[in-house]
């Protein structure tokens, strides 16, 4: 990857981030709920279930927390 393409990618990412933040701040100031739509790539993929993915992450986080608590209790 060349340096020029890396710099252009970073500039594009920063511009997108700034645009999202401005939109989110505008929605927050007006009192409307902020709704962030999932990425079009995630929505377009046929075999991806976003809700199942979220539940899986939550399940893993709870298991990790419980494991750490058990380890702490056994010290």
């Amino acid at each position: 990857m060349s340096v020029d393409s890396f710099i252009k990618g970073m500039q594009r990412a920063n511009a997108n981030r700034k645009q999202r933040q401005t939109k989110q701040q505008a929605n927050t100031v007006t009192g409307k709920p902020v709704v962030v739509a999932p990425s079009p790539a995630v929505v377009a993929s046929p075999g991806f279930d976003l809700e199942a993915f979220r539940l899986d992450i939550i399940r893993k986080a709870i298991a990790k927390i419980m494991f750490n608590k058990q380890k702490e209790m056994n010290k």
Side-chain angles (χ1 to χ4, degrees), residues 19-35:
Q19 183 181 14
R20 277 193 319 270
Q21 285 178 342
T22 304
K23 187 177 183 181
Q24 187 176 23
Q25 288 172 353
N27 286 341
T28 304
V29 170
T30 60
K32 295 179 184 176
V34 177
V35 178

Side-chain angles (χ1 to χ4, degrees), residues 22-68:
T22 304
K23 187 177 183 181
Q24 187 176 23
Q25 288 172 353
N27 286 341
T28 304
V29 170
T30 60
K32 295 179 184 176
V34 177
V35 178
V36 178
S39 168
V42 171
V43 174
S45 61
F48 185 76
D49 183 9
L50 185 60
E51 190 62 28
F53 180 69
R54 288 179 180 160
L55 291 174
D56 189 45
I57 290 174
I58 292 169
R59 181 185 55 79
K60 288 178 182 178
I62 291 172
K64 179 100 172 153
I65 290 168
M66 296 305 288
F67 178 75
N68 288 340

